[in-house]
Amino acid sequence: MNKAAYTHLIKQKASELGFMYCGISKAEFLEEEAPRLERWLNQHMHGQMHYMENHFDKRLDPRLLVDGAKSVVSLLLNYFPEEGQPEDSTYKISKYAYGTDYHFVIKDKLKALLTYINEAIGEVGGRCFVDSAPVLDKAWAKKSGLGWVGKNSNLITPQVGSFYFIAELIIDLELEPDGPIKDYCGSCTRCLDACPTGAITEPYVVDGSKCISYFTIELKDQLPQEMEGKFGNWVFGCDICQDVCPWNRFSKPHREPAFAPHPHLKEMKADDWQELTQEVFSQLFRKSAVKRTGYSGLLRNIRFVEGQPDNA
Ligand code: B12
Ligand code: SF4
Ligand code: SF4
């Protein structure tokens, strides 16, 4: 078999495993991203996400993560829900966190793909990545032709929008690389205009330390007073810059049972949220990514959205 045949087999299996798209790039240094990542870090756009400061070189070169790496296999997994939270919903959770934490779901699929490669092709060394190591997911997916990085800094795919996760396998097998596609943002500025905290500081640049997603999920401290009144009703993550993006008209509902929300989530009224107990929290978000902010973090966010100054 030649590399075109291997590539075909891998893409076919990825589709069988439920990945929406699979693209390939050559494992090499990300030259274009290096100065951009450096600038982002120098300007402290990572805020207190200190893990972003680590492994600068590895983040830009997959060969430092996997010995003899030849190819990066980028994979997209759709999480766009059939039904969102009701319009009158008092508090909003990002769509990506409705069901089981994507890290578990994707890791299993990646392992299955790597096992298949070893069975169908022969001994292939490699590693599975889903936010578990310093990898620039969007840059690889872009290089693999799976979409373009939009002005809101998310990867967008013309046929399906941007509500999906990105993961990759880095392997020591040479494959047929795909080429990048064009940027279709054009003169649109909807995401910049809609961002309530001004986190999209210029087209294509998101200051992570100003993003609602950072405040409600990553920040462990008290939420800053200057942000009061700016979160709308978002208490875990924020979908605004994707909800307004015209390309998300093409989003199609996922078919991943693990991403189905707990049935009570859409019935939650203001009182239910405000009176949330640890027990109900654990039931609602048993395996969800919402656990990252935890029970106390979610309550802090709810109080903040309610304009209660005591948000520590
Ligand atoms: C740190 C992080 C965050 C931070 C910082 C956000 C950010 N934009 O980096 C916070 C907590 C704020 C965050 C929020 C969200 N995140 Co996040 N996040 C990550 C993580 C772990 C690392 C991203 C990273 O490396 N950032 C570093 C900076 C430098 O990268 P960057 O913003 O992409 O910057 C590039 C551009 O600015 C570009 N650039 C700079 N200047 C210029 C100039 C020009 C002209 C051009 C063309 C480009 C350009 O180059 C930079 C380097 O590549 C990735 C997972 C991963 N391992 O990659 C997930 C990831 C990016 N997040 C994801 C998601 C889903 C989200 C949220 C939608 C979640 C939510 N609903 O709340 C929001 C979206 C916010 C937004 N608009 O970006 C997905 C994105 C999927 C997709 N379709 O793109 C990822 C890939 C996770 C995953 N595995 O699926 N996230
Ligand atoms: S996720 Fe929300 S806060 Fe963050 S950049 Fe997008 S619109 Fe702004
Ligand atoms: S809203 Fe417009 S500018 Fe922003 S990412 Fe989507 S197409 Fe690009």
Side-chain angles (χ1 to χ4, degrees):
M1 262 196 284
N2 59 23
K3 59 183 182 178
Y6 293 150
T7 308
H8 179 70
L9 275 183
I10 292 173
K11 288 186 176 178
Q12 205 171 27
K13 185 66 184 177
S15 164
E16 271 172 41
L17 286 167
F19 288 110
M20 189 160 56
Y21 288 104
C22 170
I24 313 289
S25 24
K26 190 170 183 280
E28 59 193 2
F29 180 66
L30 287 171
E31 214 157 308
E32 205 181 33
E33 314 299 331
R36 294 172 176 174
L37 175 63
E38 193 175 12
R39 179 170 78 126
W40 193 79
L41 290 168
N42 285 341
Q43 294 182 354
H44 296 284
M45 291 190 174
H46 57 300
Q48 290 185 27
M49 296 179 285
H50 298 296
Y51 63 90
M52 287 302 301
E53 293 161 17
N54 304 331
H55 309 299
F56 182 81
D57 295 335
K58 284 187 182 165
R59 209 176 284 280
L60 292 163
D61 195 338
R63 294 167 303 183
L64 303 176
L65 285 166
V66 172
D67 274 348
K70 295 272 183 335
S71 306
V72 180
V73 180
S74 290
L75 300 139
L76 307 185
L77 189 69
N78 186 11
Y79 65 80
F80 185 71
E82 178 97 61
E83 203 186 344
Q85 287 178 275
E87 271 311 309
D88 59 354
S89 197
T90 27
Y91 302 111
K92 282 193 167 277
I93 304 279
S94 282
K95 296 177 197 35
Y96 86 88
Y98 285 180
T100 304
D101 189 333
Y102 66 101
H103 296 96
F104 303 126
V105 180
I106 296 181
K107 200 89 191 187
D108 288 348
K109 290 183 191 290
L110 290 177
K111 279 189 195 154
L113 185 57
L114 194 53
T115 304
Y116 168 80
I117 294 173
N118 273 280
E119 285 165 4
I121 296 174
E123 205 179 311
V124 174
R127 281 177 67 188
C128 308
F129 296 94
V130 52
D131 283 3
S132 50
V135 182
L136 288 174
D137 290 345
K138 293 179 283 181
W140 286 109
K142 172 176 129 182
K143 207 169 150 62
S144 308
L146 298 182
W148 79 97
V149 175
K151 292 180 193 172
N152 62 9
S153 109
N154 287 302
L155 188 86
I156 308 172
T157 306
Q159 300 86 342
V160 295
S162 64
F163 287 112
Y164 49 69
F165 300 113
I166 309 173
E168 46 293 297
L169 286 183
I170 300 178
I171 51 176
D172 61 8
L173 176 72
E174 208 170 316
L175 296 170
E176 200 81 72
D178 297 289
I181 66 162
K182 199 177 151 269
D183 176 331
Y184 291 101
C185 278
S187 58
C188 175
T189 56
R190 284 194 203 188
C191 52
L192 287 118
D193 303 338
C195 175
T197 59
I200 312 179
T201 51
E202 59 181 282
Y204 307 102
V205 178
V206 167
D207 181 342
S209 74
K210 288 190 181 146
C211 177
I212 295 170
S213 190
Y214 164 78
F215 289 126
T216 54
I217 305 173
E218 303 290 333
L219 188 69
K220 303 295 168 234
D221 299 345
Q222 202 166 316
L223 298 169
Q225 261 172 10
E226 69 266 21
M227 287 292 155
E228 257 177 48
K230 295 195 171 166
F231 287 12
N233 49 3
W234 290 98
V235 293
F236 186 87
C238 166
D239 286 341
I240 296 174
C241 57
Q242 294 189 91
D243 283 339
V244 300
C245 177
W247 291 95
N248 277 323
R249 285 195 306 249
F250 303 115
S251 305
K252 296 169 187 73
H254 68 75
R255 279 175 287 140
E256 178 54 63
F259 290 160
H262 190 287
H264 289 162
L265 189 62
K266 53 176 196 273
E267 288 157 20
M268 295 279 288
K269 300 277 180 289
D271 292 353
D272 302 319
W273 284 107
Q274 283 158 11
E275 291 156 14
L276 192 71
T277 59
Q278 172 78 61
E279 201 187 345
V280 176
F281 175 85
S282 305
Q283 280 166 11
L284 274 177
F285 302 117
R286 201 162 58 91
K287 289 186 185 164
S288 154
V290 177
K291 282 190 141 171
R292 188 169 169 92
T293 198
Y295 174 63
S296 57
L298 190 63
L299 286 193
R300 172 200 68 174
N301 298 344
I302 292 173
R303 287 202 294 265
F304 188 75
V305 161
E306 283 308 312
Q308 295 169 10
D310 154 40
N311 63 69

